[in-house]
Amino acid sequence: MALKTTTIGAFPKPDFVHLPDWFGATDGPDMAAPTARWASALAAMGEDAEAILQRGTHLAVRAQVDAGIDIPTDGEIRRENYVHYHCRHLHGFDFEDLTEASLRNGAFSALLPTVRGPISVREQFLVRDWQVAQAATGRPVKLTLPGPLTVCDTVADAYYGDPRSMGRALAEALNVEVLSLAEAGCRHIQIDEPLFARKPADAIAYGMDNLERAFHNCPARVTRTMHMCCGYPDRLDNPEYPKADPRAYFELADAVDASSIQAVSLEDAHRPNDLSLLERFGRTQVILGVVGVASSRVETVEEVSSRLTQALAHIEADRLLAGPDCGLGYLGADLAVRKLTVMVEAARSV
């Protein structure tokens, strides 16, 4: 049996989807401009906006499926970034008066939406996003949400004054979407927590509790997945982008494996791990990042299959999946598909 394959989140937007995102920035992730322009750009698409977004989503899903991916995502075509898009649908967030703040342990700074009141659900939207994507394929489409700890590091807080409390409120709002997705029939729900690797002490102290709260009462038919990369690249072909401490995965592994999380996504292509790490996950599935999202170089089938073979010395085949390190937005559609095709061929050959 071949190893299963999946993607993590973003897929390059088609040229006809005129929504801003941070992937076009040349000096690092630009959150301020896409965040400020997203609503006006959507309005400029006019009455055809929904049809355009549905077409773009279908193309992104079909590109993944045609490359052979078993569990594609919706490609996040509607999103300016994976955090702020979700926050737009919550009470408590101010997207007009942005606040400058440092993010990712000082990796970069940005103008951010600001929490100025209690966080709660304003309107539900992810069931629609999933249904649009799922209509493009018979394979199960995975939907992604930003995790509480990561949201706290990607917005400015002028209300709670405590990331633990704000994270709890966010988790309760996320849980509404999780349960609605499950009821609608979504079988794979992923919550993205790259901040776990940046702040493992906070992740263990309260981040994991809030992640569990976000998945509370999620039925057994749904695979609970978390994504935990070491930090998104600031641009393509910059190998020196500051990453999380490589020891963080080892610090977090036991807590993840003891949780209700059923699958965890780990970065390995940009910065390979000591694969004994996989032995720390005694029950959890591991999605191992085996193609880079920050490099324009296309890996060879032999390179990827070799890494997967090495991983299988430390984890059973039925608990190992192949994936990219993170979202594919920087690559462009052609390059993304080439990398995914290599990954699928390698996974089938192991």
Side-chain angles (χ1 to χ4, degrees), residues 6-25:
T6 188
T7 46
I8 301 305
F11 192 84
K13 287 180 174 60
D15 292 341
F16 60 81
V17 177
H18 300 298
L19 285 179
D21 60 34
W22 66 9
F23 300 119

Side-chain angles (χ1 to χ4, degrees), residues 27 40 89 112 139 201-202 332-333 348:
D27 297 320
S40 60
H89 298 84
L112 304 175
R139 298 183 184 182
D202 291 345
R348 289 174 177 170

Side-chain angles (χ1 to χ4, degrees), residues 317-332:
D318 61 356
R319 289 197 298 115
L320 180 66
L321 291 82
D325 272 351
C326 198
L328 301 165
Y330 275 121
L331 298 174

Side-chain angles (χ1 to χ4, degrees), residues 53 86 93 131 142 197 219 264 301 309 347:
L53 293 172
H86 197 108
F93 285 88
Q131 288 174 336
K142 178 172 61 177
V264 60
V301 172
T309 299

Side-chain angles (χ1 to χ4, degrees), residues 3 300-302 304-305 308 341-350:
L3 299 180
T300 68
V301 172
E302 291 74 21
V304 177
S305 61
L308 290 170
T341 302
V342 165
M343 185 181 81
V344 169
E345 185 176 345
R348 289 174 177 170
S349 71
V350 172

Side-chain angles (χ1 to χ4, degrees), residues 67-141:
I69 297 297
D70 296 303
I71 308 168
T73 70
D74 74 330
E76 301 181 358
I77 301 302
R78 297 172 184 265
R79 309 184 191 190
E80 73 270 41
N81 68 59
Y82 67 105
V83 175
H84 295 168
Y85 175 74
H86 197 108
C87 295
R88 290 181 184 279
H89 298 84
L90 301 176
H91 288 298
F93 285 88
D94 177 1
F95 276 83
E96 300 297 325
D97 185 10
L98 304 180
T99 302
E100 186 168 6
S102 175
L103 296 96
R104 309 306 189 253
N105 289 356
F108 61 95
S109 63
L111 290 168
L112 304 175
T114 305
V115 178
R116 302 193 187 278
I119 294 170
S120 63
V121 174
R122 180 170 59 82
E123 60 177 344
Q124 291 186 245
F125 61 104
L126 283 183
V127 167
R128 176 208 59 194
D129 289 7
W130 172 73
Q131 288 174 336
V132 167
Q134 189 60 73
T137 180
R139 298 183 184 182
V141 172

Side-chain angles (χ1 to χ4, degrees), residues 36-340:
R37 291 166 36 219
W38 184 88
S40 60
L42 183 64
M45 294 167 68
E47 61 184 16
D48 296 330
E50 183 57 32
I52 291 170
L53 293 172
Q54 289 190 19
R55 179 184 167 211
T57 299
H58 283 196
L59 282 177
V61 174
R62 289 307 315 173
Q64 296 170 70
V65 171
D66 290 347
I69 297 297
D70 296 303
I71 308 168
T73 70
D74 74 330
E76 301 181 358
I77 301 302
R78 297 172 184 265
R79 309 184 191 190
E80 73 270 41
N81 68 59
Y82 67 105
V83 175
H84 295 168
Y85 175 74
H86 197 108
C87 295
R88 290 181 184 279
H89 298 84
L90 301 176
H91 288 298
F93 285 88
D94 177 1
F95 276 83
E96 300 297 325
D97 185 10
L98 304 180
T99 302
E100 186 168 6
S102 175
L103 296 96
R104 309 306 189 253
N105 289 356
F108 61 95
S109 63
L111 290 168
L112 304 175
T114 305
V115 178
R116 302 193 187 278
I119 294 170
S120 63
V121 174
R122 180 170 59 82
E123 60 177 344
Q124 291 186 245
F125 61 104
L126 283 183
V127 167
R128 176 208 59 194
D129 289 7
W130 172 73
Q131 288 174 336
V132 167
Q134 189 60 73
T137 180
R139 298 183 184 182
V141 172
K142 178 172 61 177
L143 239 289
T144 63
L145 299 81
L149 189 65
T150 296
V151 174
C152 287
D153 194 71
T154 320
V155 300
D157 175 25
Y159 179 77
Y160 286 94
D162 170 27
R164 184 192 302 259
S165 300
M166 189 166 88
R168 182 185 181 106
L170 285 162
E172 291 170 353
L174 292 169
N175 184 246
V176 173
E177 291 285 0
V178 166
L179 297 183
S180 294
L181 282 167
E183 184 177 358
C186 183
R187 290 165 44 197
H188 296 270
I189 300 175
Q190 175 181 297
I191 294 183
D192 296 344
E193 280 288 21
L195 257 292
F196 272 37
R198 293 281 189 183
K199 299 182 176 181
D202 291 345
I204 292 169
Y206 59 86
M208 185 59 70
D209 285 346
N210 283 333
L211 180 62
E212 293 275 29
R213 188 169 285 108
F215 274 119
H216 183 59
N217 282 335
C218 186
R221 64 180 177 274
V222 176
T223 299
R224 306 181 184 197
T225 302
M226 72 170 295
H227 169 56
M228 190 167 62
C229 73
C230 295
Y232 211 76
D234 59 346
R235 59 186 180 275
L236 201 60
D237 294 323
N238 174 26
E240 303 306 319
Y241 177 71
K243 309 294 283 184
D245 190 320
R247 296 171 295 184
Y249 280 164
F250 281 90
E251 295 174 28
L252 293 160
D254 292 347
V256 172
D257 200 51
S259 74
S260 69
I261 298 302
Q262 295 160 296
V264 60
S265 164
L266 304 176
E267 177 179 323
D268 188 69
H270 183 82
R271 188 181 63 197
N273 297 286
D274 173 353
L275 288 178
S276 67
L277 167 69
L278 303 182
E279 298 173 15
R280 304 287 290 272
F281 297 99
R283 48 163 294 279
T284 310
Q285 295 179 351
V286 173
I287 303 165
L288 192 66
V290 287
V291 294
V293 301
S295 171
S296 60
R297 176 183 174 272
V298 179
E299 296 82 354
T300 68
V301 172
E302 291 74 21
E303 288 170 338
V304 177
S305 61
S306 175
R307 191 59 174 168
L308 290 170
T309 299
Q310 293 170 25
L312 287 170
H314 302 274
I315 189 171
E316 301 90 342
D318 61 356
R319 289 197 298 115
L320 180 66
L321 291 82
D325 272 351
C326 198
L328 301 165
Y330 275 121
L331 298 174
D334 290 344
L335 186 55
V337 167
R338 288 170 62 196
K339 283 177 172 272
L340 293 181

